[in-house]
Amino acid sequence: MIVDCAIYRDGHRTEGPEDFSDALGEARAAGGFVWIGLHEPTEEEFAHVTQEFALHPLAVEDALKAHQRPKLEIYDDSLFVVLKPVVYEPRSDTVSTGEIMVFLGDSFVVTVRHGEGAPLKAVRRRLEHEPELLGEGPTSVLYAIADAAVDHYLDVATELQTDLEELEAEVFSPEDGGSRHTASRIYNFKRQVLEFRRATGPLSPPMSRLAGTAGSGVVVPFVNDKARPFFRDVSDHLTRVNESVDGLDRLVTDILSAHLAQMSVRQNDDMRKISAWAAMAAIPTMVAGVYGMNFEHMPELRWTWSYPTLIALTVALEVLVFRLFKRRGWL
């Protein structure tokens, strides 16, 4: 459905005609641009927009089906950018992603949003309070959307860093380090980092191209040259995010290895304890087995102190073996 539609002239909003073609013509005549925002449009709803703004059919297909990687594609009449905003849910410690598709032309911006995360109302409101930035044309909209998405990446990276510190403390605590649920928490956290990486990693090349630092020598059309320093700032922030994600991934892998090593050490300790107790249980078993034989001529059978002597000998051997295992750390 259409969330918002407005014409912007000299950085200020004006309500335009309901018909898209009239709005585009009016915007071009006044030297402004029209911004149309849609949320999960159907094919029928998007068909009129496609026709009026001459959007490329491949980009339209991507915008309708969603589930795209972050990318930048250049067509004859427009620029197509895909971003994946990230939403962090602190109660369940999960990361989910949405999608924002931006069609950028000489006098129009069409944004298509999928998912409940990262609504664009705040971005539109921010731009409308900054007429100087909004006066730079459609490029300012693309910059504001990318800047908002990447800034939120930084917040999510901070939240994940906090969760990782808690997980690290749990793994190395003597009480919970061997918990059966710890490994599942580590794997779940690694899955969230992977989901985060899918959103941030592929976005670096498009931001570098928009900032003019990709080194390819190809100038991205429909992007104001004055906006390139702003995109460089977004690209720098994105680099920080990707470095944080790489660090999180390495740390969680190290934590998993440490947890598995701890589990192996504790299993070895348990086996040593079981072996030690089994060795101690073997002493009375041996004595009882020897004197349980049905032989008539066995030493000390008719001696009055034979039973207490054997009990005392058994206890003495048990104490001796116990102290030996205790000194070696088996018990």
Side-chain angles (χ1 to χ4, degrees):
M1 63 177 180
I2 298 176
V3 178
D4 201 351
C5 176
I7 296 175
Y8 295 90
R9 300 188 184 96
D10 299 324
H12 298 281
R13 175 177 179 139
T14 60
E15 299 300 330
E18 295 182 359
D19 187 79
F20 296 149
S21 58
D22 294 340
L24 181 59
E26 185 177 331
R28 284 174 174 168
F33 68 95
V34 59
W35 179 5
I36 300 174
L38 301 99
H39 179 238
E40 297 182 356
T42 63
E43 187 174 351
E44 292 76 13
E45 292 173 338
F46 204 52
H48 186 46
V49 178
T50 302
Q51 182 180 0
E52 294 298 336
F53 293 96
L55 304 180
H56 197 279
L58 292 178
V60 171
E61 182 181 359
D62 290 344
L64 289 174
K65 291 185 176 180
H67 303 294
Q68 304 296 317
R69 298 175 75 251
K71 61 181 179 178
L72 166 64
E73 294 183 353
I74 301 173
Y75 298 101
D76 293 336
D77 299 322
S78 63
L79 199 67
F80 181 60
V81 180
V82 179
L83 301 100
K84 295 181 76 69
V86 173
V87 178
Y88 176 78
E89 179 54 52
R91 293 183 179 179
S92 57
D93 295 336
T94 56
V95 172
S96 59
T97 58
E99 289 186 43
I100 297 177
M101 285 80 168
V102 182
F103 294 89
L104 192 72
D106 57 345
S107 301
F108 69 88
V109 179
V110 178
T111 55
V112 182
R113 183 169 61 89
H114 291 268
E116 298 300 325
L120 297 179
K121 288 184 179 180
V123 176
R124 190 185 287 262
R125 193 180 307 116
R126 169 198 165 190
L127 281 173
E128 291 176 353
H129 284 83
E130 298 183 22
E132 292 183 0
L133 178 60
L134 192 57
E136 296 296 330
T139 306
S140 63
V141 177
L142 178 58
Y143 158 70
I145 294 173
D147 184 57
V150 173
D151 283 348
H152 194 61
Y153 288 165
L154 291 170
D155 297 336
V156 174
T158 301
E159 295 286 348
L160 289 176
Q161 182 65 43
T162 302
D163 288 346
L164 182 62
E165 291 173 358
E166 295 176 357
L167 187 60
E168 187 177 16
E170 177 182 334
V171 168
F172 290 102
S173 67
E175 294 82 9
D176 300 330
S179 173
R180 186 175 299 176
H181 302 290
T182 303
S184 62
R185 283 198 61 193
I186 296 174
Y187 278 114
N188 181 66
F189 185 86
K190 192 171 182 64
R191 190 180 300 114
Q192 306 312 314
V193 173
L194 179 60
E195 184 71 17
F196 193 22
R197 184 194 290 274
R198 290 195 186 109
T200 63
L203 188 59
S204 290
M207 285 298 106
S208 297
R209 293 179 66 185
L210 290 170
T213 58
S216 61
V218 179
V219 178
V220 180
F222 309 109
V223 175
N224 193 332
D225 291 337
K226 296 180 180 179
R228 299 195 186 280
F230 294 94
F231 283 112
R232 281 199 292 270
D233 182 66
V234 175
S235 182
D236 290 342
H237 291 175
L238 184 61
T239 300
R240 287 175 51 196
V241 172
N242 285 325
E243 289 174 351
S244 297
V245 173
D246 291 340
L248 289 171
D249 188 56
R250 288 194 298 269
L251 282 174
V252 73
T253 301
D254 293 341
I255 289 175
L256 178 60
S257 299
H259 174 67
L260 295 177
Q262 282 185 328
M263 294 294 292
S264 178
V265 170
R266 291 181 182 183
Q267 287 177 352
N268 290 336
D269 289 341
D270 292 340
M271 289 302 300
R272 286 192 299 180
K273 291 179 181 179
I274 293 172
S275 300
W277 287 111
M280 293 174 62
I283 294 175
T285 301
M286 181 189 66
V287 175
V290 169
Y291 281 91
M293 297 180 181
N294 296 321
F295 293 112
E296 181 178 355
H297 302 288
M298 290 186 69
E300 293 87 27
L301 283 178
R302 301 183 182 278
W303 184 34
T304 304
W305 297 99
S306 61
Y307 179 74
T309 300
L310 289 175
I311 294 298
L313 179 62
T314 302
V315 171
L317 290 175
E318 290 285 352
V319 172
L320 178 63
V321 173
F322 179 81
R323 293 186 62 182
L324 179 63
F325 287 151
K326 193 75 173 178
R327 185 180 304 172
R328 295 187 175 181
W330 285 38
L331 291 174

